[in-house]
Amino acid sequence: AGDENGVVRAFDLDRGGKPTLVYDSGLGAVVDLACSPDGRAVATVHRSGAVQVKVGQDRPTRLTETSGKPLVVAWTPDGGHVLTGTDDGRLARWDLTARRQDFTIKGPAGVNLRAPSSRRHSRHSGACSTTCFAMRSRPRPRAAWSCFN
């Protein structure tokens, strides 16, 4: 969970909902976050456009977007990469070892990138081998999926 002040909390539901990670990002309101597949790390997007990755008790790593304002974040199933979607329709994959973007694609102008919800897009979420984003174009909504291993 992330709040308006930038405080991020992760909970272990198997252990009675005890917090496993609590930290102040120092970056302001959290607009999106995603836990790593192994549950040991969290990636956050902030209203300011900042993207941050926090692993356990290590210092957070800030990822610097090269274009557009990040809106959504997701992890690849192997936990080695983070994906960000920006307001200009760009989808970037971040190599966390190298701390840099290693792949980007650009959608058409006016594209809104969203990570799929498990309720509406169950075939693209849950225990799958890819991470998918829906690309919805405006003004006529059309959905297309971009998936990454």
Side-chain angles (χ1 to χ4, degrees):
D3 67 20
E4 285 291 316
N5 299 315
V7 177
V8 178
R9 294 173 180 84
F11 302 92
D12 186 340
L13 299 180
D14 292 333
R15 295 186 179 162
K18 292 182 182 177
T20 58
L21 176 70
V22 178
Y23 76 99
D24 185 347
S25 67
L27 298 172
V30 176
V31 295
D32 194 31
L33 62 82
C35 290
S36 64
D38 65 7
R40 296 181 3 195
V42 64
T44 56
V45 174
H46 301 265
R47 187 174 296 136
S48 64
V51 178
Q52 193 174 69
V53 176
K54 172 89 164 120
V55 180
Q57 298 304 314
D58 295 347
R59 289 186 62 178
T61 300
R62 188 163 176 186
L63 306 177
T64 304
E65 188 67 53
T66 56
S67 72
K69 183 177 179 180
L71 301 173
V72 295
V73 65
W75 290 81
T76 56
D78 67 3
H81 295 84
V82 168
L83 301 171
T84 56
T86 62
D87 62 354
D88 67 352
R90 190 171 307 272
L91 181 64
R93 184 177 70 181
W94 297 83
D95 180 327
L96 296 178
T97 303
R99 296 183 181 180
R100 65 175 180 83
Q101 288 183 15
D102 65 354
F103 182 82
T104 61
I105 60 172
K106 175 78 168 95
V111 165
N112 182 16
L113 294 170
R114 295 182 187 211
S117 70
S118 58
R119 287 177 29 224
R120 291 186 37 204
H121 305 290
S122 58
R123 71 184 185 103
H124 292 291
S125 55
C128 64
S129 61
T130 59
T131 299
C132 304
F133 277 85
M135 300 177 74
R136 296 191 183 279
S137 59
R138 291 178 242 143
R140 291 181 307 180
R142 276 189 245 159
W145 290 96
S146 295
C147 298
F148 297 85
N149 291 325

PDB file of all heavy atoms in Angstrom, residues 120-143:
ATOM      1  N   ARG A 120     -10.952  -8.370 -14.460  1.00  0.00           N
ATOM      2  CA  ARG A 120     -11.416  -8.139 -15.827  1.00  0.00           C
ATOM      3  C   ARG A 120     -10.576  -8.830 -16.883  1.00  0.00           C
ATOM      4  O   ARG A 120     -11.029  -9.077 -17.977  1.00  0.00           O
ATOM      5  CB  ARG A 120     -11.451  -6.641 -16.108  1.00  0.00           C
ATOM      6  CG  ARG A 120     -12.534  -5.969 -15.315  1.00  0.00           C
ATOM      7  CD  ARG A 120     -12.706  -4.527 -15.657  1.00  0.00           C
ATOM      8  NE  ARG A 120     -12.523  -4.261 -17.061  1.00  0.00           N
ATOM      9  CZ  ARG A 120     -12.169  -3.089 -17.545  1.00  0.00           C
ATOM     10  NH1 ARG A 120     -11.954  -2.081 -16.736  1.00  0.00           N
ATOM     11  NH2 ARG A 120     -12.027  -2.905 -18.825  1.00  0.00           N
ATOM     12  N   HIS A 121      -9.311  -9.122 -16.570  1.00  0.00           N
ATOM     13  CA  HIS A 121      -8.415  -9.689 -17.579  1.00  0.00           C
ATOM     14  C   HIS A 121      -7.698 -10.905 -17.010  1.00  0.00           C
ATOM     15  O   HIS A 121      -6.491 -10.990 -17.053  1.00  0.00           O
ATOM     16  CB  HIS A 121      -7.389  -8.634 -18.011  1.00  0.00           C
ATOM     17  CG  HIS A 121      -8.021  -7.361 -18.483  1.00  0.00           C
ATOM     18  ND1 HIS A 121      -8.715  -7.274 -19.655  1.00  0.00           N
ATOM     19  CD2 HIS A 121      -8.082  -6.138 -17.915  1.00  0.00           C
ATOM     20  CE1 HIS A 121      -9.171  -6.037 -19.807  1.00  0.00           C
ATOM     21  NE2 HIS A 121      -8.809  -5.331 -18.762  1.00  0.00           N
ATOM     22  N   SER A 122      -8.470 -11.851 -16.487  1.00  0.00           N
ATOM     23  CA  SER A 122      -7.880 -12.957 -15.756  1.00  0.00           C
ATOM     24  C   SER A 122      -6.941 -13.802 -16.622  1.00  0.00           C
ATOM     25  O   SER A 122      -6.006 -14.374 -16.114  1.00  0.00           O
ATOM     26  CB  SER A 122      -8.970 -13.842 -15.161  1.00  0.00           C
ATOM     27  OG  SER A 122      -9.813 -14.326 -16.173  1.00  0.00           O
ATOM     28  N   ARG A 123      -7.162 -13.841 -17.917  1.00  0.00           N
ATOM     29  CA  ARG A 123      -6.268 -14.652 -18.737  1.00  0.00           C
ATOM     30  C   ARG A 123      -4.893 -14.016 -18.888  1.00  0.00           C
ATOM     31  O   ARG A 123      -3.942 -14.653 -19.313  1.00  0.00           O
ATOM     32  CB  ARG A 123      -6.874 -14.931 -20.109  1.00  0.00           C
ATOM     33  CG  ARG A 123      -6.947 -13.745 -21.024  1.00  0.00           C
ATOM     34  CD  ARG A 123      -7.669 -14.131 -22.315  1.00  0.00           C
ATOM     35  NE  ARG A 123      -7.651 -13.039 -23.235  1.00  0.00           N
ATOM     36  CZ  ARG A 123      -6.851 -12.963 -24.285  1.00  0.00           C
ATOM     37  NH1 ARG A 123      -6.010 -13.933 -24.540  1.00  0.00           N
ATOM     38  NH2 ARG A 123      -6.890 -11.927 -25.087  1.00  0.00           N
ATOM     39  N   HIS A 124      -4.742 -12.742 -18.507  1.00  0.00           N
ATOM     40  CA  HIS A 124      -3.461 -12.057 -18.606  1.00  0.00           C
ATOM     41  C   HIS A 124      -2.844 -11.768 -17.250  1.00  0.00           C
ATOM     42  O   HIS A 124      -1.908 -11.003 -17.159  1.00  0.00           O
ATOM     43  CB  HIS A 124      -3.632 -10.724 -19.346  1.00  0.00           C
ATOM     44  CG  HIS A 124      -3.964 -10.913 -20.783  1.00  0.00           C
ATOM     45  ND1 HIS A 124      -3.071 -11.414 -21.685  1.00  0.00           N
ATOM     46  CD2 HIS A 124      -5.105 -10.699 -21.457  1.00  0.00           C
ATOM     47  CE1 HIS A 124      -3.640 -11.473 -22.872  1.00  0.00           C
ATOM     48  NE2 HIS A 124      -4.867 -11.050 -22.759  1.00  0.00           N
ATOM     49  N   SER A 125      -3.371 -12.316 -16.185  1.00  0.00           N
ATOM     50  CA  SER A 125      -2.824 -12.013 -14.866  1.00  0.00           C
ATOM     51  C   SER A 125      -2.749 -13.287 -14.038  1.00  0.00           C
ATOM     52  O   SER A 125      -3.103 -14.351 -14.485  1.00  0.00           O
ATOM     53  CB  SER A 125      -3.675 -10.960 -14.171  1.00  0.00           C
ATOM     54  OG  SER A 125      -5.006 -11.388 -14.115  1.00  0.00           O
ATOM     55  N   GLY A 126      -2.276 -13.153 -12.830  1.00  0.00           N
ATOM     56  CA  GLY A 126      -2.132 -14.307 -11.966  1.00  0.00           C
ATOM     57  C   GLY A 126      -0.846 -15.044 -12.272  1.00  0.00           C
ATOM     58  O   GLY A 126       0.181 -14.447 -12.550  1.00  0.00           O
ATOM     59  N   ALA A 127      -0.884 -16.345 -12.235  1.00  0.00           N
ATOM     60  CA  ALA A 127       0.310 -17.161 -12.429  1.00  0.00           C
ATOM     61  C   ALA A 127       0.580 -17.359 -13.912  1.00  0.00           C
ATOM     62  O   ALA A 127       0.302 -18.395 -14.476  1.00  0.00           O
ATOM     63  CB  ALA A 127       0.137 -18.498 -11.732  1.00  0.00           C
ATOM     64  N   CYS A 128       1.100 -16.347 -14.561  1.00  0.00           N
ATOM     65  CA  CYS A 128       1.411 -16.462 -15.979  1.00  0.00           C
ATOM     66  C   CYS A 128       2.896 -16.229 -16.194  1.00  0.00           C
ATOM     67  O   CYS A 128       3.602 -15.806 -15.299  1.00  0.00           O
ATOM     68  CB  CYS A 128       0.575 -15.477 -16.810  1.00  0.00           C
ATOM     69  SG  CYS A 128       0.915 -13.758 -16.445  1.00  0.00           S
ATOM     70  N   SER A 129       3.380 -16.502 -17.385  1.00  0.00           N
ATOM     71  CA  SER A 129       4.804 -16.385 -17.659  1.00  0.00           C
ATOM     72  C   SER A 129       5.160 -15.057 -18.309  1.00  0.00           C
ATOM     73  O   SER A 129       6.288 -14.850 -18.699  1.00  0.00           O
ATOM     74  CB  SER A 129       5.239 -17.530 -18.581  1.00  0.00           C
ATOM     75  OG  SER A 129       4.531 -17.433 -19.801  1.00  0.00           O
ATOM     76  N   THR A 130       4.202 -14.168 -18.443  1.00  0.00           N
ATOM     77  CA  THR A 130       4.476 -12.870 -19.049  1.00  0.00           C
ATOM     78  C   THR A 130       3.824 -11.767 -18.228  1.00  0.00           C
ATOM     79  O   THR A 130       2.923 -12.015 -17.449  1.00  0.00           O
ATOM     80  CB  THR A 130       3.922 -12.784 -20.492  1.00  0.00           C
ATOM     81  OG1 THR A 130       2.521 -13.007 -20.454  1.00  0.00           O
ATOM     82  CG2 THR A 130       4.573 -13.780 -21.407  1.00  0.00           C
ATOM     83  N   THR A 131       4.312 -10.550 -18.418  1.00  0.00           N
ATOM     84  CA  THR A 131       3.689  -9.375 -17.821  1.00  0.00           C
ATOM     85  C   THR A 131       3.052  -8.601 -18.950  1.00  0.00           C
ATOM     86  O   THR A 131       3.692  -8.345 -19.963  1.00  0.00           O
ATOM     87  CB  THR A 131       4.733  -8.503 -17.102  1.00  0.00           C
ATOM     88  OG1 THR A 131       5.311  -9.291 -16.057  1.00  0.00           O
ATOM     89  CG2 THR A 131       4.096  -7.258 -16.508  1.00  0.00           C
ATOM     90  N   CYS A 132       1.786  -8.228 -18.801  1.00  0.00           N
ATOM     91  CA  CYS A 132       1.046  -7.609 -19.893  1.00  0.00           C
ATOM     92  C   CYS A 132       0.506  -6.242 -19.499  1.00  0.00           C
ATOM     93  O   CYS A 132       0.146  -6.016 -18.349  1.00  0.00           O
ATOM     94  CB  CYS A 132      -0.138  -8.489 -20.303  1.00  0.00           C
ATOM     95  SG  CYS A 132       0.324 -10.160 -20.757  1.00  0.00           S
ATOM     96  N   PHE A 133       0.453  -5.362 -20.460  1.00  0.00           N
ATOM     97  CA  PHE A 133      -0.166  -4.057 -20.293  1.00  0.00           C
ATOM     98  C   PHE A 133      -1.218  -3.891 -21.369  1.00  0.00           C
ATOM     99  O   PHE A 133      -1.008  -4.285 -22.517  1.00  0.00           O
ATOM    100  CB  PHE A 133       0.859  -2.923 -20.459  1.00  0.00           C
ATOM    101  CG  PHE A 133       1.648  -2.638 -19.236  1.00  0.00           C
ATOM    102  CD1 PHE A 133       2.783  -3.358 -18.946  1.00  0.00           C
ATOM    103  CD2 PHE A 133       1.244  -1.646 -18.362  1.00  0.00           C
ATOM    104  CE1 PHE A 133       3.516  -3.085 -17.822  1.00  0.00           C
ATOM    105  CE2 PHE A 133       1.971  -1.366 -17.223  1.00  0.00           C
ATOM    106  CZ  PHE A 133       3.114  -2.090 -16.959  1.00  0.00           C
ATOM    107  N   ALA A 134      -2.347  -3.311 -21.000  1.00  0.00           N
ATOM    108  CA  ALA A 134      -3.377  -2.980 -21.987  1.00  0.00           C
ATOM    109  C   ALA A 134      -3.065  -1.598 -22.531  1.00  0.00           C
ATOM    110  O   ALA A 134      -2.763  -0.689 -21.772  1.00  0.00           O
ATOM    111  CB  ALA A 134      -4.759  -2.985 -21.345  1.00  0.00           C
ATOM    112  N   MET A 135      -3.124  -1.457 -23.830  1.00  0.00           N
ATOM    113  CA  MET A 135      -2.924  -0.157 -24.460  1.00  0.00           C
ATOM    114  C   MET A 135      -4.277   0.279 -25.002  1.00  0.00           C
ATOM    115  O   MET A 135      -4.799  -0.312 -25.937  1.00  0.00           O
ATOM    116  CB  MET A 135      -1.896  -0.257 -25.581  1.00  0.00           C
ATOM    117  CG  MET A 135      -0.542  -0.743 -25.109  1.00  0.00           C
ATOM    118  SD  MET A 135       0.631  -0.950 -26.455  1.00  0.00           S
ATOM    119  CE  MET A 135       1.018   0.750 -26.810  1.00  0.00           C
ATOM    120  N   ARG A 136      -4.859   1.295 -24.407  1.00  0.00           N
ATOM    121  CA  ARG A 136      -6.178   1.777 -24.814  1.00  0.00           C
ATOM    122  C   ARG A 136      -6.012   3.123 -25.483  1.00  0.00           C
ATOM    123  O   ARG A 136      -5.538   4.067 -24.886  1.00  0.00           O
ATOM    124  CB  ARG A 136      -7.098   1.907 -23.607  1.00  0.00           C
ATOM    125  CG  ARG A 136      -7.375   0.591 -22.942  1.00  0.00           C
ATOM    126  CD  ARG A 136      -8.494   0.730 -21.936  1.00  0.00           C
ATOM    127  NE  ARG A 136      -8.707  -0.516 -21.255  1.00  0.00           N
ATOM    128  CZ  ARG A 136      -9.411  -1.527 -21.734  1.00  0.00           C
ATOM    129  NH1 ARG A 136      -9.960  -1.439 -22.909  1.00  0.00           N
ATOM    130  NH2 ARG A 136      -9.566  -2.628 -21.034  1.00  0.00           N
ATOM    131  N   SER A 137      -6.402   3.176 -26.752  1.00  0.00           N
ATOM    132  CA  SER A 137      -6.266   4.439 -27.477  1.00  0.00           C
ATOM    133  C   SER A 137      -7.510   5.287 -27.311  1.00  0.00           C
ATOM    134  O   SER A 137      -8.598   4.789 -27.069  1.00  0.00           O
ATOM    135  CB  SER A 137      -6.001   4.161 -28.955  1.00  0.00           C
ATOM    136  OG  SER A 137      -7.059   3.415 -29.501  1.00  0.00           O
ATOM    137  N   ARG A 138      -7.328   6.597 -27.410  1.00  0.00           N
ATOM    138  CA  ARG A 138      -8.430   7.547 -27.343  1.00  0.00           C
ATOM    139  C   ARG A 138      -8.544   8.246 -28.680  1.00  0.00           C
ATOM    140  O   ARG A 138      -7.551   8.398 -29.356  1.00  0.00           O
ATOM    141  CB  ARG A 138      -8.147   8.578 -26.237  1.00  0.00           C
ATOM    142  CG  ARG A 138      -8.217   7.981 -24.861  1.00  0.00           C
ATOM    143  CD  ARG A 138      -7.889   9.028 -23.827  1.00  0.00           C
ATOM    144  NE  ARG A 138      -6.701   8.581 -23.134  1.00  0.00           N
ATOM    145  CZ  ARG A 138      -5.735   9.350 -22.709  1.00  0.00           C
ATOM    146  NH1 ARG A 138      -5.774  10.633 -22.868  1.00  0.00           N
ATOM    147  NH2 ARG A 138      -4.712   8.859 -22.093  1.00  0.00           N
ATOM    148  N   PRO A 139      -9.661   8.744 -29.126  1.00  0.00           N
ATOM    149  CA  PRO A 139     -10.937   8.798 -28.433  1.00  0.00           C
ATOM    150  C   PRO A 139     -11.747   7.510 -28.542  1.00  0.00           C
ATOM    151  O   PRO A 139     -12.664   7.306 -27.772  1.00  0.00           O
ATOM    152  CB  PRO A 139     -11.669   9.943 -29.129  1.00  0.00           C
ATOM    153  CG  PRO A 139     -11.153   9.926 -30.515  1.00  0.00           C
ATOM    154  CD  PRO A 139      -9.706   9.470 -30.398  1.00  0.00           C
ATOM    155  N   ARG A 140     -11.469   6.637 -29.530  1.00  0.00           N
ATOM    156  CA  ARG A 140     -12.218   5.384 -29.638  1.00  0.00           C
ATOM    157  C   ARG A 140     -11.442   4.292 -28.914  1.00  0.00           C
ATOM    158  O   ARG A 140     -10.383   3.881 -29.396  1.00  0.00           O
ATOM    159  CB  ARG A 140     -12.407   4.996 -31.103  1.00  0.00           C
ATOM    160  CG  ARG A 140     -13.331   5.924 -31.846  1.00  0.00           C
ATOM    161  CD  ARG A 140     -13.491   5.479 -33.258  1.00  0.00           C
ATOM    162  NE  ARG A 140     -12.146   5.331 -33.840  1.00  0.00           N
ATOM    163  CZ  ARG A 140     -11.910   4.954 -35.076  1.00  0.00           C
ATOM    164  NH1 ARG A 140     -12.878   4.671 -35.872  1.00  0.00           N
ATOM    165  NH2 ARG A 140     -10.679   4.851 -35.524  1.00  0.00           N
ATOM    166  N   PRO A 141     -11.944   3.821 -27.783  1.00  0.00           N
ATOM    167  CA  PRO A 141     -11.183   2.819 -27.028  1.00  0.00           C
ATOM    168  C   PRO A 141     -11.007   1.525 -27.813  1.00  0.00           C
ATOM    169  O   PRO A 141     -11.958   0.938 -28.299  1.00  0.00           O
ATOM    170  CB  PRO A 141     -12.039   2.578 -25.783  1.00  0.00           C
ATOM    171  CG  PRO A 141     -12.960   3.736 -25.712  1.00  0.00           C
ATOM    172  CD  PRO A 141     -13.153   4.222 -27.115  1.00  0.00           C
ATOM    173  N   ARG A 142      -9.776   1.155 -27.982  1.00  0.00           N
ATOM    174  CA  ARG A 142      -9.417  -0.140 -28.550  1.00  0.00           C
ATOM    175  C   ARG A 142      -8.335  -0.713 -27.667  1.00  0.00           C
ATOM    176  O   ARG A 142      -7.392  -0.012 -27.329  1.00  0.00           O
ATOM    177  CB  ARG A 142      -8.853   0.021 -29.960  1.00  0.00           C
ATOM    178  CG  ARG A 142      -9.932   0.112 -31.005  1.00  0.00           C
ATOM    179  CD  ARG A 142      -9.311   0.040 -32.351  1.00  0.00           C
ATOM    180  NE  ARG A 142      -9.563   1.325 -32.978  1.00  0.00           N
ATOM    181  CZ  ARG A 142      -8.895   1.820 -33.971  1.00  0.00           C
ATOM    182  NH1 ARG A 142      -7.885   1.188 -34.467  1.00  0.00           N
ATOM    183  NH2 ARG A 142      -9.212   2.981 -34.476  1.00  0.00           N
ATOM    184  N   ALA A 143      -8.447  -1.949 -27.294  1.00  0.00           N
ATOM    185  CA  ALA A 143      -7.436  -2.544 -26.405  1.00  0.00           C
ATOM    186  C   ALA A 143      -6.524  -3.436 -27.203  1.00  0.00           C
ATOM    187  O   ALA A 143      -6.954  -4.168 -28.087  1.00  0.00           O
ATOM    188  CB  ALA A 143      -8.123  -3.333 -25.290  1.00  0.00           C
TER     189      ALA A 143
END
